[in-house]
Amino acid sequence: ATGASLLAAHPDSALPYLERAKVLFPEYAGTDSPYFLLALAHHQSGRSGKVAVELQELTSRNQAHYQGLRMLAEARLDLADTSGAAQAVASAQYVYPFESADHLRLARWYSALGQTGMAIQERRAVLAMDPFNRAEALYQLAVAQRAAGDQRAARSTVLEALERSEEHTSELQSH
């Protein structure tokens, strides 16, 4: 039996085969690489630290492994490493930049980490994606601008949010 086929039925039994494959093919970092399969096995067993190690190895060899980057972010969150999770999601955005939920997550994480410039950048990215609740997105941008010490921009953005909110309310009332 191969490591990949054992993984589905018996994750822990697959580990020696996958470790051996990793030694034999250390540079292989495709979707079915030993690194990714080991990460899946460790994930199934709840070993977030080992998941993070395998996925870090994988994504250092294949920076375009979107699923690996997303899983790495979750593993780092499980390990209370918000900064590491943010790095992984930011890397995933180079592969696929159109996931608005990722921009929202990054904006919250950067704000919590005190990286106000990056939080503002992510809030602007959310606005560029034309969110359903544009007034809320504008308000959150204003909060980030205020946190960065840019009172003038925050005031202007809040006024834009209020205008958008009034327009939205008028549209709803006319229907």
Side-chain angles (χ1 to χ4, degrees), residues 15-156:
L15 294 178
Y17 294 98
L18 294 171
E19 289 290 348
R20 179 74 178 137
K22 190 169 70 170
V23 170
L24 292 172
F25 306 103
E27 294 304 314
Y28 180 64
T31 55
D32 60 345
S33 75
Y35 300 104
F36 189 65
L37 296 175
L38 279 164
L40 291 175
H42 292 308
H43 177 73
Q44 289 176 5
S45 300
R47 296 183 289 256
S48 296
K50 290 187 177 193
V51 171
V53 168
E54 295 301 337
L55 291 174
Q56 183 60 49
E57 287 294 320
L58 169 70
T59 58
S60 70
R61 289 169 171 75
N62 180 356
Q63 294 85 15
H65 199 295
Y66 184 73
Q67 189 176 4
L69 289 164
R70 299 289 307 246
M71 283 182 64
L72 178 57
E74 295 306 318
R76 287 185 172 163
L77 276 181
D78 290 345
L79 298 168
D81 179 7
T82 304
S83 180
Q87 285 176 329
V89 171
S91 294
Q93 286 184 325
Y94 284 106
V95 179
Y96 185 76
F98 304 108
E99 185 64 52
S100 61
D102 285 348
H103 291 286
L104 287 169
R105 290 171 77 186
L106 281 174
R108 285 192 305 270
W109 293 342
Y110 287 141
S111 291
L113 293 167
Q115 297 178 11
T116 55
M118 295 300 293
I120 290 169
Q121 176 182 310
E122 291 304 323
R123 292 292 177 192
R124 287 186 175 137
V126 169
L127 281 166
M129 299 178 99
D130 196 25
F132 173 74
N133 191 343
R134 189 166 186 80
E136 173 66 18
L138 284 164
Y139 172 75
Q140 293 299 330
L141 172 59
V143 169
Q145 290 167 328
R146 183 171 184 267
D150 191 347
Q151 303 303 329
R152 182 179 302 223
R155 191 175 306 117
S156 174

